[in-house]
Amino acid sequence: MITVEEALDRVLARARPRPAEITPVADALGLVLAEEVTSDVDSPPHDKSVVDGYAVVAADLAGGEARLEVIEEVVAGAVPTRHVAPGQATRLMTGAPLPPGADAVVMVENAQVLPRPDGGVERVLLRGSQVRPGQNIMRRGTSLRRGQAVLGPGHLLRAVEIGLLCEVGRVEVQAVPRSTVAVLPTGNELVPPVDLPAAGQIRNSNGPMLLAAARRVGAEPVDLGVGRDDPDELRRLIQQGLAADVLVLSGGVSAGVLDLVPRVLAELGVEQVFHKVRLKPGKPLWFGVANVEGFDKLVFGLPGNPVSSLVCFELFVRPAIERLAGRQKRGPKRTTARLATRHVHRGERPTYHPARLKPGPDGDEVEPVAWHGSADLLGLVEADALVCFPAGDRTHEAGSRLDVYLLE
Ligand code: AMP
Ligand code: MG
């Protein structure tokens, strides 16, 4: 049986990024950029005030205060029309362009408008002993210059990049599109969550859970409904699922009499890359590739137990979806941490036990949560990580250092 690391290598070796497409920036959140983006403007486009205040000649305040004539008011969006000479000031709102002649801005908090004599000019008393040229001014092109490359291929587009793309005038970009992920839970015992399960039945948690997990990774989920343990029905639904970039099945991959999934996949010409991985929970995991009209479709047969399904999704399916999306990271974030409490492990496979990371006196500690195995989703709710206990019967003392995979 192959190890988790080897299985992940084999999955990633078959997951090639999808070709980039022109995408509206408004729809590009979470996608990976596939081009170099340059700015078509200087930012800021002019010398601008970074505060509400008065544009002045700094030398006027050499004595610590000055009474100046207010010659104009410039709100954001307007442009100054008058030159500021010594003895004068222009009232500016944040972001307004600096008028010619002025070389500093005194903030409004340090200004006092003086009573205006009838028909007289408006005057203001400004205070500030340290007013230097350039104060409260952001010079044209300080943050970026026209023609400058601001983002490159491979960059993940978060909210900040969406804002930056808009700042440099882009409404469309070349980006790697979302992949489609079809989800097909299988099993005669499955009933919809609205039903109360009768004897022998169980609610279908995996379907909605895996659709949600796919959406969470930025893929476009495709709901194939539920497949009965019947070769003809499975064949029909799997064929439908192969229209997607990734097909995720759950159940039917172990050694039971109704575990038909590997057989049906083989009949449909899906190439098996591996079946079974040395881990707990998740040993029966099946992975293969189908070539459909020249495109490699990734097919995962996840074990039916919900925790096994979700753990396999995090360890293998999620990294594959991220790779299709053009992201370079290799699987879940890994770290090591000291065990917070003594733990007895038994088993001939490494166990990925749901756990919580918490700060301790010597860095992060990991605490296994109470968990009753691969059917116990409630245990997993408390976890934000998986702690890996190596194969073998052994007592791990508090303080021993173990590998930890972070869940998202
Ligand atoms: P299987 O891998 O098909 O042998 O299923 C293993 C266990 O997982 C059985 O107890 C199933 O009832 C359960 N199971 C399978 N599919 C689902 C599902 N979609 N939701 C919840 N439990 C499931
Ligand atoms: Mg089954």
Side-chain angles (χ1 to χ4, degrees), residues 186-190 229 250-254 258-259 304:
T186 70
N188 288 338
E189 74 279 32
L190 300 182
D229 294 315
S250 89
V253 287
S254 317
L258 286 181
D259 289 333

Coordinates of all heavy atoms in Angstrom, one line a residue, residues 186-190 229 250-254 258-259 304, ligand 2:
T186 N -22.7 7.3 -3.2 CA -23.3 6.0 -3.6 C -23.7 5.2 -2.4 O -23.0 5.3 -1.4 CB -22.4 5.1 -4.5 OG1 -21.3 4.6 -3.7 CG2 -21.8 6.0 -5.7
G187 N -24.8 4.4 -2.5 CA -25.2 3.5 -1.5 C -26.7 3.3 -1.4 O -27.4 4.3 -1.4
N188 N -27.1 2.0 -1.3 CA -28.5 1.7 -1.3 C -29.1 2.2 0.0 O -30.3 2.4 0.1 CB -28.8 0.2 -1.3 CG -28.5 -0.3 -2.7 OD1 -28.6 0.4 -3.7 ND2 -28.2 -1.6 -2.8
E189 N -28.3 2.4 1.1 CA -28.8 2.8 2.4 C -29.1 4.3 2.6 O -29.6 4.7 3.6 CB -27.8 2.3 3.5 CG -26.5 3.1 3.6 CD -25.4 2.7 2.6 OE1 -25.8 2.3 1.5 OE2 -24.3 2.8 3.0
L190 N -28.7 5.1 1.6 CA -28.7 6.5 1.7 C -30.1 7.1 1.6 O -30.8 6.7 0.6 CB -27.8 7.2 0.7 CG -26.3 6.8 0.9 CD1 -25.5 7.6 -0.1 CD2 -25.8 7.0 2.3
D229 N -26.4 1.2 -5.5 CA -25.4 0.2 -5.7 C -25.8 -0.7 -6.8 O -26.1 -1.9 -6.6 CB -25.1 -0.6 -4.4 CG -24.5 0.3 -3.3 OD1 -23.6 1.1 -3.6 OD2 -24.9 0.2 -2.2
S250 N -18.4 8.9 -3.4 CA -18.2 8.4 -2.1 C -18.9 7.1 -1.9 O -20.0 6.9 -2.5 CB -18.6 9.4 -1.0 OG -20.0 9.2 -0.6
G251 N -18.3 6.2 -1.2 CA -18.8 4.9 -0.9 C -18.5 3.9 -2.0 O -18.1 4.3 -3.1
G252 N -18.7 2.6 -1.7 CA -18.6 1.6 -2.7 C -17.1 1.3 -3.2 O -17.0 0.7 -4.3
V253 N -16.1 1.7 -2.4 CA -14.7 1.4 -2.9 C -14.0 0.5 -2.0 O -12.8 0.2 -2.2 CB -13.9 2.7 -3.0 CG1 -14.3 3.5 -4.2 CG2 -13.9 3.6 -1.8
S254 N -14.7 -0.1 -1.0 CA -14.1 -1.1 -0.1 C -14.2 -2.5 -0.6 O -14.4 -2.6 -1.8 CB -14.6 -1.0 1.3 OG -14.8 0.4 1.7
L258 N -21.2 -5.1 -2.4 CA -21.8 -4.1 -3.2 C -20.9 -2.9 -3.5 O -21.3 -1.8 -3.9 CB -23.1 -3.6 -2.5 CG -24.3 -4.5 -2.6 CD1 -25.5 -3.9 -2.0 CD2 -24.6 -4.9 -4.1
D259 N -19.6 -3.1 -3.2 CA -18.6 -2.1 -3.5 C -18.2 -2.2 -5.0 O -17.2 -2.8 -5.4 CB -17.4 -2.2 -2.6 CG -17.8 -1.8 -1.2 OD1 -18.8 -1.0 -1.0 OD2 -17.2 -2.3 -0.2
G304 N -16.9 5.6 2.1 CA -18.2 6.1 2.4 C -18.3 6.8 3.8 O -19.1 7.7 4.0
Ligands
MG2 MG -21.7 1.4 0.2

